[in-house]
Amino acid sequence: KSVIGGLKKIRKDPSTRTLENQRLAVGEIQRVLKPGGHFLGAENLRGSWLHQKVRTFAKNGRLGWRHLRREEIDSLFAPFAAVEQQCYGFLGSRFHLLGLNHLTSFVDSWLCPLLPPQSLYVSFIRARK
């Protein structure tokens, strides 16, 4: 879960966490898969402006992660024969300390189908070579 957004070319250099380097990694995933093989993943998306502000606040402005947009995932996996992407999550599961995860999960199950996909924050990906 959520590996591609954290990839960088040089381990100690966060500035190398770029779309192009992530494209290289996905290309390598495609290369090593057998014909007809599948990649299954879940990636954290940029989400809504609210998600972006909460992340910035929670990390004191030091994100260090490159949250992808749905369109970027489509672009990264374009060389695959087939790609499916399903987005989910608005309220999320950051409420475990308050015991509210079941409630937020229930609300998300009703809310997510009503919201535009770009406002959700997790993408489930299935790509076939």
Side-chain angles (χ1 to χ4, degrees), residues 65-116:
W65 196 269
R66 190 173 177 287
H67 293 91
L68 298 164
R69 291 190 308 267
R70 284 175 43 91
E71 302 80 27
E72 290 174 332
I73 290 174
D74 289 337
S75 172
L76 288 172
F77 288 91
F80 283 74
V83 180
E84 295 174 47
Q85 186 178 176
Q86 178 68 44
C87 297
Y88 191 78
F90 186 80
L91 294 177
S93 60
R94 292 195 172 258
F95 302 100
H96 59 278
L97 295 176
L98 302 175
L100 295 176
N101 279 351
H102 291 293
L103 177 62
T104 59
S105 175
F106 176 75
V107 173
D108 268 354
S109 71
W110 287 90
L111 190 60
C112 290
L114 303 174
L115 294 172

